[in-house]
Amino acid sequence: MASQVIYFVTVDNNKAQAEITFGTVIQDLYNSYDLIHVANCERINAVKTVLQSLVTPPQLLITSSDWFEEEQEEVRETTRRLYPDIHLIMVPPGLHKQIGEQKVVEYLKEQIQELRLPLRAERGAES
């Protein structure tokens, strides 16, 4: 049985930091989830265009803690208009600066696990 791939998009104005953070999350959750980071939006006004350009709709969108609550709400509204059933994780504003990179990774892993997304198929069960 093949794993169900979970495509996700991030909204993070620091692309290099996003690659590190979300790369670590993907690696740490590899045995449980088949996560694929398909795009990062470095600006709020790019979210709609990026989401509309994807061939396969993402199941998850994550905003970094670099955005104010109002900006995160704008992302939420834009995303929900396009994909009402998408899962959203909005990292609380300023959290990265307050608790650091590793704690944000832990926070994201907990949030993803709480969403009860489809688990990766057992390695031995795949054909």
Side-chain angles (χ1 to χ4, degrees), residues 6-9 58-63 76 79-80 83-90 111-112 114-118:
I6 300 163
Y7 297 103
F8 74 99
V9 172
Q59 292 92 341
L60 174 62
L61 182 134
I62 303 170
T63 65
R76 180 190 316 275
T79 303
R80 288 278 189 220
Y83 301 113
D85 296 328
I86 194 170
H87 296 283
L88 298 169
I89 298 174
M90 305 299 196
Q111 294 297 305
I112 290 169
E114 288 177 12
L115 292 175
R116 304 218 183 273
L117 297 167

PDB file of all heavy atoms in Angstrom, residues 6-9 58-63 76 79-80 83-90 111-112 114-118:
ATOM      1  N   ILE A   6       1.415  14.125   1.705  1.00  0.00           N
ATOM      2  CA  ILE A   6       0.817  15.331   2.265  1.00  0.00           C
ATOM      3  C   ILE A   6       1.627  16.507   1.744  1.00  0.00           C
ATOM      4  O   ILE A   6       2.771  16.710   2.137  1.00  0.00           O
ATOM      5  CB  ILE A   6       0.830  15.286   3.802  1.00  0.00           C
ATOM      6  CG1 ILE A   6       0.046  14.082   4.287  1.00  0.00           C
ATOM      7  CG2 ILE A   6       0.272  16.591   4.373  1.00  0.00           C
ATOM      8  CD1 ILE A   6       0.325  13.712   5.727  1.00  0.00           C
ATOM      9  N   TYR A   7       1.019  17.244   0.824  1.00  0.00           N
ATOM     10  CA  TYR A   7       1.668  18.411   0.253  1.00  0.00           C
ATOM     11  C   TYR A   7       1.400  19.606   1.156  1.00  0.00           C
ATOM     12  O   TYR A   7       0.278  19.802   1.616  1.00  0.00           O
ATOM     13  CB  TYR A   7       1.123  18.701  -1.142  1.00  0.00           C
ATOM     14  CG  TYR A   7       1.396  17.590  -2.117  1.00  0.00           C
ATOM     15  CD1 TYR A   7       0.400  16.704  -2.487  1.00  0.00           C
ATOM     16  CD2 TYR A   7       2.668  17.423  -2.666  1.00  0.00           C
ATOM     17  CE1 TYR A   7       0.646  15.672  -3.376  1.00  0.00           C
ATOM     18  CE2 TYR A   7       2.922  16.398  -3.558  1.00  0.00           C
ATOM     19  CZ  TYR A   7       1.914  15.522  -3.906  1.00  0.00           C
ATOM     20  OH  TYR A   7       2.162  14.508  -4.781  1.00  0.00           O
ATOM     21  N   PHE A   8       2.441  20.401   1.403  1.00  0.00           N
ATOM     22  CA  PHE A   8       2.218  21.592   2.213  1.00  0.00           C
ATOM     23  C   PHE A   8       2.966  22.795   1.672  1.00  0.00           C
ATOM     24  O   PHE A   8       3.969  22.678   0.980  1.00  0.00           O
ATOM     25  CB  PHE A   8       2.528  21.340   3.698  1.00  0.00           C
ATOM     26  CG  PHE A   8       3.979  21.239   4.068  1.00  0.00           C
ATOM     27  CD1 PHE A   8       4.652  22.338   4.607  1.00  0.00           C
ATOM     28  CD2 PHE A   8       4.665  20.049   3.930  1.00  0.00           C
ATOM     29  CE1 PHE A   8       5.987  22.246   4.988  1.00  0.00           C
ATOM     30  CE2 PHE A   8       5.996  19.946   4.310  1.00  0.00           C
ATOM     31  CZ  PHE A   8       6.667  21.046   4.840  1.00  0.00           C
ATOM     32  N   VAL A   9       2.403  23.959   1.994  1.00  0.00           N
ATOM     33  CA  VAL A   9       2.938  25.260   1.585  1.00  0.00           C
ATOM     34  C   VAL A   9       3.257  26.032   2.849  1.00  0.00           C
ATOM     35  O   VAL A   9       2.557  25.908   3.859  1.00  0.00           O
ATOM     36  CB  VAL A   9       1.900  26.029   0.737  1.00  0.00           C
ATOM     37  CG1 VAL A   9       2.340  27.457   0.462  1.00  0.00           C
ATOM     38  CG2 VAL A   9       1.619  25.289  -0.563  1.00  0.00           C
ATOM     39  N   PRO A  58      -2.609  21.673  -1.898  1.00  0.00           N
ATOM     40  CA  PRO A  58      -1.941  21.251  -0.658  1.00  0.00           C
ATOM     41  C   PRO A  58      -2.978  20.878   0.399  1.00  0.00           C
ATOM     42  O   PRO A  58      -4.109  21.350   0.376  1.00  0.00           O
ATOM     43  CB  PRO A  58      -1.167  22.507  -0.242  1.00  0.00           C
ATOM     44  CG  PRO A  58      -1.950  23.636  -0.824  1.00  0.00           C
ATOM     45  CD  PRO A  58      -2.538  23.118  -2.102  1.00  0.00           C
ATOM     46  N   GLN A  59      -2.578  20.010   1.314  1.00  0.00           N
ATOM     47  CA  GLN A  59      -3.452  19.636   2.425  1.00  0.00           C
ATOM     48  C   GLN A  59      -3.160  20.469   3.664  1.00  0.00           C
ATOM     49  O   GLN A  59      -3.918  20.448   4.616  1.00  0.00           O
ATOM     50  CB  GLN A  59      -3.276  18.151   2.777  1.00  0.00           C
ATOM     51  CG  GLN A  59      -3.767  17.207   1.725  1.00  0.00           C
ATOM     52  CD  GLN A  59      -2.679  16.797   0.743  1.00  0.00           C
ATOM     53  OE1 GLN A  59      -1.648  17.436   0.610  1.00  0.00           O
ATOM     54  NE2 GLN A  59      -2.928  15.725   0.019  1.00  0.00           N
ATOM     55  N   LEU A  60      -2.040  21.211   3.633  1.00  0.00           N
ATOM     56  CA  LEU A  60      -1.590  21.922   4.818  1.00  0.00           C
ATOM     57  C   LEU A  60      -0.891  23.215   4.410  1.00  0.00           C
ATOM     58  O   LEU A  60      -0.151  23.239   3.429  1.00  0.00           O
ATOM     59  CB  LEU A  60      -0.614  21.022   5.593  1.00  0.00           C
ATOM     60  CG  LEU A  60       0.118  21.569   6.808  1.00  0.00           C
ATOM     61  CD1 LEU A  60      -0.854  21.968   7.907  1.00  0.00           C
ATOM     62  CD2 LEU A  60       1.108  20.527   7.323  1.00  0.00           C
ATOM     63  N   LEU A  61      -1.140  24.274   5.183  1.00  0.00           N
ATOM     64  CA  LEU A  61      -0.423  25.540   5.008  1.00  0.00           C
ATOM     65  C   LEU A  61       0.058  25.972   6.387  1.00  0.00           C
ATOM     66  O   LEU A  61      -0.693  25.895   7.361  1.00  0.00           O
ATOM     67  CB  LEU A  61      -1.319  26.616   4.400  1.00  0.00           C
ATOM     68  CG  LEU A  61      -0.599  27.946   4.154  1.00  0.00           C
ATOM     69  CD1 LEU A  61      -0.927  28.489   2.772  1.00  0.00           C
ATOM     70  CD2 LEU A  61      -0.961  28.957   5.224  1.00  0.00           C
ATOM     71  N   ILE A  62       1.319  26.405   6.441  1.00  0.00           N
ATOM     72  CA  ILE A  62       1.935  26.817   7.707  1.00  0.00           C
ATOM     73  C   ILE A  62       2.496  28.224   7.552  1.00  0.00           C
ATOM     74  O   ILE A  62       3.227  28.495   6.606  1.00  0.00           O
ATOM     75  CB  ILE A  62       3.078  25.862   8.100  1.00  0.00           C
ATOM     76  CG1 ILE A  62       2.586  24.423   8.194  1.00  0.00           C
ATOM     77  CG2 ILE A  62       3.718  26.310   9.420  1.00  0.00           C
ATOM     78  CD1 ILE A  62       3.703  23.390   8.338  1.00  0.00           C
ATOM     79  N   THR A  63       2.150  29.102   8.496  1.00  0.00           N
ATOM     80  CA  THR A  63       2.775  30.426   8.510  1.00  0.00           C
ATOM     81  C   THR A  63       3.851  30.440   9.580  1.00  0.00           C
ATOM     82  O   THR A  63       3.710  29.823  10.634  1.00  0.00           O
ATOM     83  CB  THR A  63       1.773  31.559   8.808  1.00  0.00           C
ATOM     84  OG1 THR A  63       1.267  31.405  10.118  1.00  0.00           O
ATOM     85  CG2 THR A  63       0.642  31.586   7.801  1.00  0.00           C
ATOM     86  N   ARG A  76      -5.022  33.236   6.362  1.00  0.00           N
ATOM     87  CA  ARG A  76      -6.080  32.268   6.681  1.00  0.00           C
ATOM     88  C   ARG A  76      -7.299  32.487   5.773  1.00  0.00           C
ATOM     89  O   ARG A  76      -7.819  31.544   5.179  1.00  0.00           O
ATOM     90  CB  ARG A  76      -6.493  32.400   8.148  1.00  0.00           C
ATOM     91  CG  ARG A  76      -7.595  31.435   8.579  1.00  0.00           C
ATOM     92  CD  ARG A  76      -8.151  31.735   9.968  1.00  0.00           C
ATOM     93  NE  ARG A  76      -7.163  32.031  10.968  1.00  0.00           N
ATOM     94  CZ  ARG A  76      -6.492  31.129  11.695  1.00  0.00           C
ATOM     95  NH1 ARG A  76      -6.725  29.852  11.511  1.00  0.00           N
ATOM     96  NH2 ARG A  76      -5.616  31.509  12.589  1.00  0.00           N
ATOM     97  N   THR A  79      -6.541  31.608   2.079  1.00  0.00           N
ATOM     98  CA  THR A  79      -6.397  30.161   1.921  1.00  0.00           C
ATOM     99  C   THR A  79      -7.741  29.457   2.024  1.00  0.00           C
ATOM    100  O   THR A  79      -8.061  28.579   1.214  1.00  0.00           O
ATOM    101  CB  THR A  79      -5.417  29.617   2.976  1.00  0.00           C
ATOM    102  OG1 THR A  79      -4.167  30.309   2.842  1.00  0.00           O
ATOM    103  CG2 THR A  79      -5.193  28.130   2.801  1.00  0.00           C
ATOM    104  N   ARG A  80      -8.540  29.822   2.998  1.00  0.00           N
ATOM    105  CA  ARG A  80      -9.858  29.187   3.195  1.00  0.00           C
ATOM    106  C   ARG A  80     -10.809  29.452   2.019  1.00  0.00           C
ATOM    107  O   ARG A  80     -11.648  28.616   1.706  1.00  0.00           O
ATOM    108  CB  ARG A  80     -10.499  29.665   4.492  1.00  0.00           C
ATOM    109  CG  ARG A  80      -9.842  29.122   5.727  1.00  0.00           C
ATOM    110  CD  ARG A  80     -10.350  27.729   6.028  1.00  0.00           C
ATOM    111  NE  ARG A  80      -9.848  27.346   7.346  1.00  0.00           N
ATOM    112  CZ  ARG A  80      -9.409  26.148   7.620  1.00  0.00           C
ATOM    113  NH1 ARG A  80      -9.402  25.216   6.706  1.00  0.00           N
ATOM    114  NH2 ARG A  80      -8.971  25.872   8.821  1.00  0.00           N
ATOM    115  N   TYR A  83      -9.337  26.882  -0.529  1.00  0.00           N
ATOM    116  CA  TYR A  83      -9.357  25.494  -0.053  1.00  0.00           C
ATOM    117  C   TYR A  83     -10.000  25.439   1.335  1.00  0.00           C
ATOM    118  O   TYR A  83      -9.296  25.465   2.349  1.00  0.00           O
ATOM    119  CB  TYR A  83      -7.941  24.918   0.011  1.00  0.00           C
ATOM    120  CG  TYR A  83      -7.224  24.934  -1.306  1.00  0.00           C
ATOM    121  CD1 TYR A  83      -6.110  25.748  -1.508  1.00  0.00           C
ATOM    122  CD2 TYR A  83      -7.662  24.148  -2.361  1.00  0.00           C
ATOM    123  CE1 TYR A  83      -5.454  25.768  -2.726  1.00  0.00           C
ATOM    124  CE2 TYR A  83      -7.012  24.168  -3.585  1.00  0.00           C
ATOM    125  CZ  TYR A  83      -5.904  24.971  -3.762  1.00  0.00           C
ATOM    126  OH  TYR A  83      -5.265  24.991  -4.973  1.00  0.00           O
ATOM    127  N   PRO A  84     -11.326  25.363   1.398  1.00  0.00           N
ATOM    128  CA  PRO A  84     -12.017  25.406   2.700  1.00  0.00           C
ATOM    129  C   PRO A  84     -11.597  24.309   3.686  1.00  0.00           C
ATOM    130  O   PRO A  84     -11.660  24.517   4.894  1.00  0.00           O
ATOM    131  CB  PRO A  84     -13.492  25.256   2.328  1.00  0.00           C
ATOM    132  CG  PRO A  84     -13.582  25.577   0.877  1.00  0.00           C
ATOM    133  CD  PRO A  84     -12.243  25.289   0.272  1.00  0.00           C
ATOM    134  N   ASP A  85     -11.156  23.162   3.171  1.00  0.00           N
ATOM    135  CA  ASP A  85     -10.832  22.035   4.053  1.00  0.00           C
ATOM    136  C   ASP A  85      -9.349  21.903   4.379  1.00  0.00           C
ATOM    137  O   ASP A  85      -8.938  20.938   5.026  1.00  0.00           O
ATOM    138  CB  ASP A  85     -11.334  20.725   3.432  1.00  0.00           C
ATOM    139  CG  ASP A  85     -12.845  20.707   3.301  1.00  0.00           C
ATOM    140  OD1 ASP A  85     -13.523  21.314   4.155  1.00  0.00           O
ATOM    141  OD2 ASP A  85     -13.347  20.105   2.332  1.00  0.00           O
ATOM    142  N   ILE A  86      -8.544  22.848   3.951  1.00  0.00           N
ATOM    143  CA  ILE A  86      -7.104  22.757   4.184  1.00  0.00           C
ATOM    144  C   ILE A  86      -6.802  22.878   5.685  1.00  0.00           C
ATOM    145  O   ILE A  86      -7.501  23.574   6.416  1.00  0.00           O
ATOM    146  CB  ILE A  86      -6.344  23.839   3.384  1.00  0.00           C
ATOM    147  CG1 ILE A  86      -4.843  23.545   3.343  1.00  0.00           C
ATOM    148  CG2 ILE A  86      -6.628  25.218   3.937  1.00  0.00           C
ATOM    149  CD1 ILE A  86      -4.067  24.435   2.367  1.00  0.00           C
ATOM    150  N   HIS A  87      -5.792  22.176   6.119  1.00  0.00           N
ATOM    151  CA  HIS A  87      -5.320  22.310   7.502  1.00  0.00           C
ATOM    152  C   HIS A  87      -4.388  23.515   7.582  1.00  0.00           C
ATOM    153  O   HIS A  87      -3.573  23.732   6.679  1.00  0.00           O
ATOM    154  CB  HIS A  87      -4.550  21.059   7.943  1.00  0.00           C
ATOM    155  CG  HIS A  87      -5.388  19.840   7.983  1.00  0.00           C
ATOM    156  ND1 HIS A  87      -6.283  19.574   8.992  1.00  0.00           N
ATOM    157  CD2 HIS A  87      -5.475  18.789   7.126  1.00  0.00           C
ATOM    158  CE1 HIS A  87      -6.881  18.428   8.764  1.00  0.00           C
ATOM    159  NE2 HIS A  87      -6.406  17.926   7.633  1.00  0.00           N
ATOM    160  N   LEU A  88      -4.510  24.273   8.649  1.00  0.00           N
ATOM    161  CA  LEU A  88      -3.675  25.464   8.845  1.00  0.00           C
ATOM    162  C   LEU A  88      -2.938  25.384  10.168  1.00  0.00           C
ATOM    163  O   LEU A  88      -3.522  24.986  11.185  1.00  0.00           O
ATOM    164  CB  LEU A  88      -4.544  26.729   8.847  1.00  0.00           C
ATOM    165  CG  LEU A  88      -5.315  27.030   7.572  1.00  0.00           C
ATOM    166  CD1 LEU A  88      -6.327  28.135   7.820  1.00  0.00           C
ATOM    167  CD2 LEU A  88      -4.364  27.414   6.462  1.00  0.00           C
ATOM    168  N   ILE A  89      -1.671  25.751  10.130  1.00  0.00           N
ATOM    169  CA  ILE A  89      -0.891  25.924  11.358  1.00  0.00           C
ATOM    170  C   ILE A  89      -0.322  27.334  11.302  1.00  0.00           C
ATOM    171  O   ILE A  89       0.456  27.664  10.404  1.00  0.00           O
ATOM    172  CB  ILE A  89       0.250  24.896  11.481  1.00  0.00           C
ATOM    173  CG1 ILE A  89      -0.307  23.475  11.549  1.00  0.00           C
ATOM    174  CG2 ILE A  89       1.108  25.214  12.715  1.00  0.00           C
ATOM    175  CD1 ILE A  89       0.756  22.382  11.531  1.00  0.00           C
ATOM    176  N   MET A  90      -0.749  28.144  12.239  1.00  0.00           N
ATOM    177  CA  MET A  90      -0.265  29.518  12.327  1.00  0.00           C
ATOM    178  C   MET A  90       0.658  29.600  13.543  1.00  0.00           C
ATOM    179  O   MET A  90       0.187  29.576  14.686  1.00  0.00           O
ATOM    180  CB  MET A  90      -1.432  30.502  12.496  1.00  0.00           C
ATOM    181  CG  MET A  90      -2.496  30.394  11.423  1.00  0.00           C
ATOM    182  SD  MET A  90      -1.834  30.743   9.797  1.00  0.00           S
ATOM    183  CE  MET A  90      -3.304  31.011   8.865  1.00  0.00           C
ATOM    184  N   GLN A 111       2.019  20.105  16.369  1.00  0.00           N
ATOM    185  CA  GLN A 111       0.835  20.589  15.661  1.00  0.00           C
ATOM    186  C   GLN A 111       0.456  19.654  14.509  1.00  0.00           C
ATOM    187  O   GLN A 111      -0.722  19.349  14.312  1.00  0.00           O
ATOM    188  CB  GLN A 111       1.065  22.010  15.127  1.00  0.00           C
ATOM    189  CG  GLN A 111       1.222  23.064  16.198  1.00  0.00           C
ATOM    190  CD  GLN A 111      -0.028  23.216  17.031  1.00  0.00           C
ATOM    191  OE1 GLN A 111      -1.111  23.442  16.508  1.00  0.00           O
ATOM    192  NE2 GLN A 111       0.109  23.068  18.329  1.00  0.00           N
ATOM    193  N   ILE A 112       1.434  19.192  13.760  1.00  0.00           N
ATOM    194  CA  ILE A 112       1.174  18.275  12.646  1.00  0.00           C
ATOM    195  C   ILE A 112       0.588  16.968  13.171  1.00  0.00           C
ATOM    196  O   ILE A 112      -0.388  16.443  12.621  1.00  0.00           O
ATOM    197  CB  ILE A 112       2.452  18.041  11.817  1.00  0.00           C
ATOM    198  CG1 ILE A 112       2.797  19.320  11.043  1.00  0.00           C
ATOM    199  CG2 ILE A 112       2.299  16.850  10.869  1.00  0.00           C
ATOM    200  CD1 ILE A 112       4.152  19.327  10.388  1.00  0.00           C
ATOM    201  N   GLU A 114      -1.130  16.502  15.862  1.00  0.00           N
ATOM    202  CA  GLU A 114      -2.481  16.746  16.368  1.00  0.00           C
ATOM    203  C   GLU A 114      -3.512  16.836  15.244  1.00  0.00           C
ATOM    204  O   GLU A 114      -4.706  16.633  15.483  1.00  0.00           O
ATOM    205  CB  GLU A 114      -2.518  18.018  17.216  1.00  0.00           C
ATOM    206  CG  GLU A 114      -1.847  17.850  18.556  1.00  0.00           C
ATOM    207  CD  GLU A 114      -1.812  19.133  19.379  1.00  0.00           C
ATOM    208  OE1 GLU A 114      -2.502  20.115  19.015  1.00  0.00           O
ATOM    209  OE2 GLU A 114      -1.092  19.147  20.388  1.00  0.00           O
ATOM    210  N   LEU A 115      -3.083  17.119  14.029  1.00  0.00           N
ATOM    211  CA  LEU A 115      -4.009  17.214  12.897  1.00  0.00           C
ATOM    212  C   LEU A 115      -4.540  15.843  12.470  1.00  0.00           C
ATOM    213  O   LEU A 115      -5.504  15.767  11.718  1.00  0.00           O
ATOM    214  CB  LEU A 115      -3.329  17.890  11.703  1.00  0.00           C
ATOM    215  CG  LEU A 115      -2.993  19.356  11.868  1.00  0.00           C
ATOM    216  CD1 LEU A 115      -2.214  19.861  10.658  1.00  0.00           C
ATOM    217  CD2 LEU A 115      -4.250  20.186  12.072  1.00  0.00           C
ATOM    218  N   ARG A 116      -3.895  14.797  12.899  1.00  0.00           N
ATOM    219  CA  ARG A 116      -4.283  13.428  12.539  1.00  0.00           C
ATOM    220  C   ARG A 116      -4.309  13.224  11.018  1.00  0.00           C
ATOM    221  O   ARG A 116      -5.246  12.671  10.454  1.00  0.00           O
ATOM    222  CB  ARG A 116      -5.610  13.054  13.161  1.00  0.00           C
ATOM    223  CG  ARG A 116      -5.645  13.209  14.669  1.00  0.00           C
ATOM    224  CD  ARG A 116      -6.432  12.117  15.318  1.00  0.00           C
ATOM    225  NE  ARG A 116      -6.530  12.282  16.743  1.00  0.00           N
ATOM    226  CZ  ARG A 116      -5.643  11.848  17.623  1.00  0.00           C
ATOM    227  NH1 ARG A 116      -4.559  11.256  17.211  1.00  0.00           N
ATOM    228  NH2 ARG A 116      -5.823  12.005  18.917  1.00  0.00           N
ATOM    229  N   LEU A 117      -3.254  13.690  10.379  1.00  0.00           N
ATOM    230  CA  LEU A 117      -3.084  13.502   8.941  1.00  0.00           C
ATOM    231  C   LEU A 117      -2.814  12.027   8.670  1.00  0.00           C
ATOM    232  O   LEU A 117      -2.394  11.296   9.562  1.00  0.00           O
ATOM    233  CB  LEU A 117      -1.920  14.359   8.445  1.00  0.00           C
ATOM    234  CG  LEU A 117      -2.104  15.870   8.591  1.00  0.00           C
ATOM    235  CD1 LEU A 117      -0.775  16.588   8.372  1.00  0.00           C
ATOM    236  CD2 LEU A 117      -3.163  16.382   7.646  1.00  0.00           C
ATOM    237  N   PRO A 118      -3.027  11.581   7.433  1.00  0.00           N
ATOM    238  CA  PRO A 118      -2.757  10.177   7.110  1.00  0.00           C
ATOM    239  C   PRO A 118      -1.302   9.808   7.381  1.00  0.00           C
ATOM    240  O   PRO A 118      -0.389  10.544   7.017  1.00  0.00           O
ATOM    241  CB  PRO A 118      -3.060  10.087   5.615  1.00  0.00           C
ATOM    242  CG  PRO A 118      -3.883  11.279   5.299  1.00  0.00           C
ATOM    243  CD  PRO A 118      -3.518  12.338   6.289  1.00  0.00           C
TER     244      PRO A 118
END
